[in-house]
Amino acid sequence: MSGMELVLILAESAVELVPPELTKHPSILKLAKKRGKKPSEILLDRSYHHAAMRSLKDAEKRGRPDIVHTTLLELLGTPLNREGLLQTYVHTVDNKVVEIDSNVRLPVNYDRFVGLLEQLYAVGKVPEAGQPLLAIRKQTLNQLLGEIKPSTTVAFTTLGEYKDLSRLCEELTKERKPAILIGGFPRGHFSKETLNLADRVVRIDREALEAWVVASRAVYAYELAIGLPKQRLR
Ligand SMILES: C[S@@+](CC[C@H](N)C(=O)[O-])C[C@H]1O[C@@H](n2cnc3c(N)ncnc32)[C@H](O)[C@@H]1O
């Protein structure tokens, strides 16, 4: 079934280490102490750092690693991924890219997922020795797309024209290497730079849905378009 692979990029995702301007804030110092880490070694997380984040630029798009956690759990468990036909990347708001081996089993527990990401930021890959299951590098979305070289890139956003998802996925099956961009953030929109990287910008519902709902539907629609459910029963 080669040639049917889908690339899914969670773009501008709300994952980053606590930025330098917040490392002295009491709520950050408290959590860092509790976790036995330096403030600069812990992930920014709105559920703990809400007060500290008030002064932060673009705060509405930052500090939500739970979005990436839930979406990755959903994506990695799909039949498309189990068939090795889904390549997932997380691009972050501070221009890092996490490359994910489709065989990785992520912790279901959120605190353990956060610990894993903090380890990844500290050492660059997990596990440290041998073939990495997760690897992080400094890279812009533009550079990532330049490396993947998709034949078409579709950005999902409520700013786009409405498109029936099953029809879109049928069109994508004719592509050599289609890529979908979904925002890994809770509110706000893709930057102009991100929108400019897309060949198409589509909206799939009247409302803004959560990233994991959109990712889940896109993958299922793509599975149907390539006939995967039937193929897996043969
Ligand atoms: C919680 S939303 C972010 C909200 C953003 N204001 C928006 O309207 O797209 C997270 C991501 O899910 C995707 N998304 C959510 N609702 C969508 C829709 N109706 N159509 C297309 N994509 C959608 C987009 O990629 C978005 O960046």
Side-chain angles (χ1 to χ4, degrees):
M1 289 202 291
S2 63
M4 289 188 169
E5 194 188 55
L6 179 68
V7 176
L8 200 147
I9 303 172
L10 266 182
E12 299 184 30
S13 301
V15 172
E16 64 188 299
L17 293 175
V18 165
E21 63 267 36
L22 295 190
T23 50
K24 296 211 167 52
H25 193 279
S27 68
I28 307 259
L29 290 169
K30 191 175 153 198
L31 186 66
K33 192 174 170 201
K34 191 173 153 201
R35 303 252 294 275
K37 292 186 177 180
K38 291 186 199 150
S40 59
E41 291 172 346
I42 62 172
L43 284 192
L44 185 69
D45 190 330
R46 177 173 289 283
S47 52
Y48 299 107
H49 309 142
H50 185 69
M53 286 179 67
R54 268 194 209 121
S55 58
L56 213 54
K57 186 173 171 277
D58 294 331
E60 62 171 13
K61 281 177 80 178
R62 299 168 69 176
R64 288 289 308 273
D66 61 298
I67 294 177
V68 168
H69 183 223
T70 308
T71 310
L72 286 182
L73 285 176
E74 200 292 320
L75 288 172
L76 294 168
T78 58
L80 190 71
N81 186 60
R82 289 176 183 212
E83 292 291 336
L85 293 172
L86 179 66
Q87 181 62 59
T88 309
Y89 296 88
V90 176
H91 163 261
T92 69
V93 68
D94 61 347
N95 283 318
K96 304 262 180 359
V97 167
V98 181
E99 187 156 355
I100 298 153
D101 186 311
S102 46
N103 295 313
V104 71
R105 291 179 75 93
L106 290 181
V108 175
N109 178 280
Y110 177 64
D111 292 339
R112 286 192 53 219
F113 174 73
V114 167
L116 183 72
L117 279 192
E118 288 171 350
Q119 187 191 353
L120 190 62
Y121 270 91
V123 297
K125 56 182 186 162
V126 177
E128 264 190 275
Q131 181 66 21
L133 292 169
L134 297 175
I136 193 167
R137 56 182 180 259
K138 185 104 190 95
Q139 194 170 48
T140 63
L141 186 60
N142 190 9
Q143 290 166 336
L144 175 65
L145 290 170
E147 197 178 286
I148 300 171
K149 295 186 179 51
S151 53
T152 191
T153 302
V154 185
F156 279 45
T157 163
T158 52
L159 297 177
E161 288 272 313
Y162 177 77
K163 179 78 188 172
D164 178 82
L165 187 52
S166 31
R167 288 184 70 178
L168 172 70
C169 286
E170 270 157 31
E171 289 165 24
L172 293 185
T173 62
K174 299 185 181 82
E175 290 287 338
R176 176 184 50 80
K177 196 174 190 185
I180 288 178
L181 305 181
I182 292 177
F185 47 84
R187 266 178 288 282
H189 292 290
F190 283 134
S191 65
K192 275 204 191 89
E193 294 78 40
T194 297
L195 291 172
N196 285 340
L197 294 171
D199 300 300
R200 300 172 69 177
V201 177
V202 302
R203 177 167 64 89
I204 60 154
D205 192 82
R206 182 166 58 88
E207 289 181 52
L209 306 168
E210 274 111 357
W212 54 86
V213 174
V214 176
S216 158
R217 286 174 172 244
V219 166
Y220 184 54
Y222 190 77
E223 287 175 354
L224 292 180
I226 64 171
L228 191 63
K230 279 193 188 139
Q231 289 189 44
R232 275 168 66 86
L233 288 175
R234 267 189 213 135

